[in-house]
Amino acid sequence: MEYSNRQSANEGGRWSVLLVLMLFLSGCASMDSLFSAQSTTDTSSQDVETEQQDSGIDASLEVVPLDPMQAKVLALRAATNLYLSGSTPVKASVKYQFDQALAAKQAGNLTLAKQILEKLIDDEPKLSGPWVQLGDLNMLDFAGSPNGDQEQKQAHLVAAKVNYEKAIKINQHNYFAHNRLAKVFREMGDFAQAEQHYQYAIQSYPAYDNAYLNLGILYDLYLGKKQQALENYELYQALQDKPKRQVRGWIADLKRQIAKVQNGENK
């Protein structure tokens, strides 16, 4: 009887130990689940923070797009200057004579300037620059001729045209010659030829600002193409290190003219 009671007691104890062990294991499982859940949560939090940090870094490195006009100016300045790329170095003595001619012209001694240039042309027939300067002397004579003497003025224009054309024949990419020849054609009333030579100047040197300005004037005052004039004025301004006040006024005036026409058409 005593043995039976002890056996029951022992069995009861074993069951108690087993129950405690099961509860302990169950508790361990619950704790593991808790740690696992905390670990997962912490990892997710870290991932979110990392993603936010990465996003912040990417945003700081975003490239701000250029203004369309700025992009166009950069492209024009990067384009090849065909006149300079095709030219060859000149001797120091030749450059000295050329500078002497320019100094004489600047001082108003056009006769001396012409003599130096003509000698330079004889000595260096493959240079186009002296022909351009001779044309410039003709244009100074044209500007200084009395308005009443149209025949004389026309003769100076024709002489300038011939000299600029000789410069272009020697070097087709001399954009200075094209620009000046365009002005001669404009004075002669041949606006189609004037436009073409302004375009030739731009093709030879896409960043040549004066060609855009003169083309704008041609469109504005002679051809009545106000939108094209505006585009060329704006491009000229964009190519300047410091925009010109006078051209800014022209642009503002053209915008008003264009707006009035558009409003009239929309009514």
Side-chain angles (χ1 to χ4, degrees), residues 159-171:
K161 174 178 175 292
V162 169
N163 286 323
Y164 292 142
E165 287 175 337
K166 286 181 179 178
I168 293 170
K169 186 175 181 180
I170 293 171
N171 188 337

Side-chain angles (χ1 to χ4, degrees), residues 229-245:
L230 177 61
E231 292 168 2
N232 280 278
Y233 286 156
E234 289 180 331
L235 195 49
Y236 169 82
Q237 281 288 71
L239 285 165
Q240 305 306 303
D241 294 330
K242 184 178 180 181
K244 307 300 182 183
R245 182 177 179 181

Side-chain angles (χ1 to χ4, degrees), residues 48-60:
V48 170
E49 290 175 0
T50 303
E51 288 174 1
Q52 290 174 342
Q53 290 172 357
D54 290 344
S55 177
I57 293 172
D58 291 341
S60 68

Side-chain angles (χ1 to χ4, degrees), residues 246-266:
Q246 184 180 36
V247 179
R248 186 185 301 122
W250 295 351
I251 289 172
D253 184 55
L254 268 180
K255 286 182 176 179
R256 285 192 293 268
Q257 292 181 45
I258 293 171
K260 285 181 179 179
V261 171
Q262 291 176 341
N263 290 337
E265 290 177 349
N266 292 333

Side-chain angles (χ1 to χ4, degrees), residues 36-72:
S36 177
Q38 289 177 339
S39 176
T40 302
T41 303
D42 291 343
T43 303
S44 299
S45 176
Q46 290 173 356
D47 288 344
V48 170
E49 290 175 0
T50 303
E51 288 174 1
Q52 290 174 342
Q53 290 172 357
D54 290 344
S55 177
I57 293 172
D58 291 341
S60 68
L61 294 178
E62 286 181 1
V63 177
V64 179
L66 284 175
D67 175 86
M69 183 61 76
Q70 291 177 322
K72 187 169 186 177

